[in-house]
Every structure is written in C-alpha cells, then in structure tokens.
Amino acid sequence: MMKKEIANWGNYPAMESDERSFSFIGELQQYVQSNDGYIPRGNGRCYGDASLATKTISTLKFDKILSFDIINGIFECESGITLDQVLEVVVPKGWFLPVTPGTKFITVGGAVASDVHGKNHHVDGSFSNHILEMDIMLADGRLLTCSLQLNTDLFEATCGGMGLTGVITRVKFSLKKIETAYIRQKQIKAANLEEVIRLFDEYKDYTYSVAWIDCLKKGKNFGRSILILGEHAKLNELNEKQGRHILQLPPKKQITFPINLPSWVLNSFTVKAFNFLYYGKNFKKEINNIIPYEPFFYPLDAILHWNRGYGKKGFIQYQFVLPVNAKEGLVEILRKISDKGMGSFLAVLKIFGKQESLIGFPMEGYTLALDFPVRKGLFEFLDELDKVVLQYGGRLYMSKDARMKPEILQSGYPELQRFMSIIKKYNDHYKIHSVQSDRLFLTPEPI
C-alpha cells in the first residue's frame, strides 16, 4: 500500500489516501474481501471528490484490450484503459468513440461511472447508451456480468453511479463508424444568448454542437457566444494533403502548464480580456473548415496540467442542466454571474436530448459548465445558483461536484431513493464509499 496525496482535476479538495493498484482479477478480489472504506479510482479526471477516499483502488494497471470486432465496431476492454489508448487502436481501423467528453484522458471505467456525455447527446445519448455489457466486482468479491437484460438494476445503478456499486472491471461497447480522422467544422458568432439558443435549434440536425459563452458581457450583447458545430468528414470532403492521411492519428502537439498561477491573476478584468480576445478571434460571422478530430473534441488536452492555471487552491467546475422550457433560468444564472463578476474562462453550453436513466445527469434541455477558482465567498455564491437550478427543475452533475448539499442532490434526482436501495443491495455493508458519497449521505459509515 502506498500513502500519497491525491486530488481530482479541480485540485479541490486534496487528501492523503492509501492507494493500491491491481493487474489481475485475483488481486482485486483479495483486496475487496479484506478491506473496507475504499473507492475505485481511474485517472482522476472527474473534478470534485467522487473518487477520493482514505483508501483508493487504482485501475490504471488494469488496462488490456480484450477484443476488437473490426467489422461490427465492438470494443471490449479492461476498465483502466484510457479513451486516448482506445482511439489509438480504433481510429486507424475506421471507428470512433460513440460518445466522448472534452478530454480523452479518462478511463473507460470512469466514463461509465460518470456516464459521460459529449457534444452529441441530443443525437447519440450518453456513454451508457452504447454499453453492451460489463463486469462488476462487488464489495463481497463476487464478479457479476450486467447489461440491460442481465442484472439490470446493477447495470442501471453503475452507469453514473460514481463507483458505489463495485469496481467496474470489463466493459464491452459499440463504436461509431467513420470514413476519416477529420471533422467538418462550422463556427457561428452569436451576438447574444437569445441568438445562440435560436442557432442551437436551427442546427439541431448536426451531430456535434457546443457553444462558448461570454458570461460577463452585459447589455445587448449579454451571453454573446460562438457556436461550434461538427460532423465526421467524408472522404470526398478532404483536400489533397488531408487525403494522404485519411485515418491517421493527429500529431501529438502538447505543451505543459509549468506552474500554479498566483490567485490574483484570475479576476474579472483578466476574464473580460480573455473573453474579448476569444470572441474577436473569429473575424467572420461564420467560418467553415475541415480539421483533425483532436482540436475539435479535445482542445484543452493540448495543454498538459492546464488545471494549474487556477492556482494552488484549485477550482470548482459547476455544471448544471435545466429543462428545455426553462431558458429563463439560464438567463437568471448568467445574470447573477455577470452581476457578481464571478466570470469563468470556460463557459460551455450544450444541448441534451431526451434521456430516461436512473441516476444519469442529462435530461432534455441545456447544460452549462463553468470553472470558478476557489476563493472567499465562492461556495455561498454557488449555493445561490443551486436554488435557481432547483427552482427551474434542474440538477447538478455529481462528477463535477465538490460542495453541493445533500438536499440539492435529493431534489434534483427523482430516482435517488431507488438508486440508494440498489447500492445497499450490492455494496456489502457499504464497504465502498467516497468523500462525496459520505457528504451526500449516499453511504452510511461501514458497519
């Protein structure tokens, strides 16, 4: 066992943990049968405290590819493999991830536990929509296979269940067929929030859509945005140079953020300056081009340790979803942010399609993700935003959470009690629990 200080991507909170890794099922089984008070942990790319505990089981060494059906696009792997490693294998064969979040450095197990969504939720749903089956190591050491047809309750509670049902060990999922490793991208500048919401509706047939929002701008340009749309480029859409690298992985161009920035660097003035430059970089109302998939899906992955930009105290990523008929709630939250001067460099708006799931985050509507450096007054301000989210029938994303109160979770997730009953059924004596699950009263202390 190795004691080390760990934190997730927001660098808040940080804590000491006894971390154990495993390479074989037998090692894992021996550990779970003789330990309690642990949580499985992948690459630590969730933002809050969901994969923090006094004991953690790292899955990163459990990362083998088990099978790849190249004809039908079915991929089977151990849970510790990262999406980056999956892409390196499947893209050259003409396949892509069915759903991907904004980083490729998460594990497949983490993608399941957070039931990740991407820019295509309104078309393809979340990651769990594409899982054919998976294996879970329960707290008592049993290994169960589950799917929509087998041990259904375990399957439903594991997708988005923050690792509380057991350790995900094997996942089999379907891929998306592609002709090229390029994206046909369209960028449209929107003068305000009203226009970008109209554009989302106008271009709803695009597979991928996301908008960057200037959350500090006031007046007639309140909520000005850049809508970014995309489709996997067809072979006949590539130019001659691109055509020589049809399914070639993009070159890895990475720089490293060298230090934690001082907290005074992040203020409303620097956020306004950034927003001015970002919005102004698009000289035209509309830009159309064909680019490799990396800068479209993973622009921040090109900057290693970019989370250091928020300083030593870390940051909170605040992500909520509001129903499609609650646009005024979106306006109210953005106005509060603007009035308070609590600007976020990254303010990302996406649209969700319909989803009926037990504990998954998405619902049909709009989701906004914001980054706030940890500072005095932030948590009280976020408590205010929570009230607005609930007032309009929304909820917060557990995978990004480090501070919401239990009643906020209870109000936002109507199936929470059923989810908790399934945890109790499979999580023997609540041996598996995290800082987050304790904080949100999802898991009583182990008996």
Side-chain angles (χ1 to χ4, degrees), residues 154-290:
L154 178 61
F155 181 85
E156 291 178 336
T158 301
C159 297
M162 298 291 112
L164 297 174
T165 57
V167 183
I168 301 163
T169 59
R170 178 185 67 92
V171 185
K172 180 188 278 191
F173 60 97
S174 55
L175 299 166
K176 179 188 285 279
K177 186 68 177 165
I178 56 172
E179 287 186 22
T180 78
Y182 292 87
I183 295 291
R184 173 165 47 84
Q185 178 180 249
K186 181 190 291 287
Q187 295 185 64
I188 308 171
K189 290 175 83 167
N192 49 46
L193 185 65
E194 187 179 338
E195 184 181 2
V196 78
I197 287 176
R198 180 181 59 76
L199 287 170
F200 265 114
D201 189 56
E202 185 179 332
Y203 290 96
K204 63 186 176 186
D205 292 337
Y206 267 75
T207 304
Y208 301 105
S209 63
V210 64
W212 166 85
I213 290 187
D214 182 344
C215 56
L216 287 183
K217 197 69 177 173
K218 298 184 179 184
K220 66 177 183 179
N221 294 125
F222 170 76
R224 67 178 179 178
S225 314
I226 297 176
L227 177 66
I228 303 166
L229 306 161
E231 296 286 355
H232 290 282
K234 303 289 187 185
L235 189 57
N236 61 8
E237 294 172 331
L238 304 187
N239 62 33
E240 186 180 344
K241 183 180 178 182
Q242 292 165 338
R244 292 197 293 268
H245 310 284
I246 300 168
L247 289 168
Q248 186 174 311
L249 293 165
K252 294 191 175 182
K253 298 177 180 176
Q254 292 180 322
I255 59 172
T256 299
F257 209 106
I259 58 167
N260 287 304
L261 282 183
S263 56
W264 58 263
V265 173
L266 299 162
N267 54 56
S268 60
F269 176 79
T270 53
V271 174
K272 283 178 181 176
F274 171 83
N275 289 348
F276 173 81
L277 293 170
Y278 192 90
Y279 188 76
K281 72 180 176 59
N282 284 23
F283 292 108
K284 298 178 181 178
K285 171 76 173 176
E286 183 176 314
I287 296 174
N288 292 278
N289 54 6
I290 291 179

Side-chain angles (χ1 to χ4, degrees), residues 378-392:
L378 173 64
F379 286 14
E380 292 82 356
F381 176 65
L382 295 180
D383 287 343
E384 289 180 36
L385 299 190
D386 290 351
K387 292 174 185 174
V388 180
V389 171
L390 292 189
Q391 178 190 340
Y392 287 95

Side-chain angles (χ1 to χ4, degrees), residues 31-32 34-38 54-55 429-433 446-447:
Y31 180 90
V32 301
S34 57
N35 283 273
D36 59 29
Y38 62 84
T54 52
K55 296 177 186 176
H429 295 99
Y430 298 106
K431 287 170 66 175
I432 306 168
H433 65 109
I447 299 167

Side-chain angles (χ1 to χ4, degrees), residues 10-40:
N11 285 327
Y12 177 89
M15 66 178 293
E16 274 203 344
S17 179
D18 288 326
E19 187 169 273
R20 174 71 63 88
S21 60
F22 66 98
S23 301
F24 303 100
I25 284 290
E27 291 177 277
L28 175 63
Q29 188 174 47
Q30 186 177 14
Y31 180 90
V32 301
Q33 288 176 331
S34 57
N35 283 273
D36 59 29
Y38 62 84
I39 193 74

Side-chain angles (χ1 to χ4, degrees), residues 2 31 34 95 115 120 187 283 312 337 385 403 409 433:
M2 184 177 67
Y31 180 90
S34 57
W95 295 96
D115 195 16
N120 57 333
Q187 295 185 64
F283 292 108
K312 282 186 178 179
I337 291 167
L385 299 190
R403 37 64 54 191
L409 182 74
H433 65 109

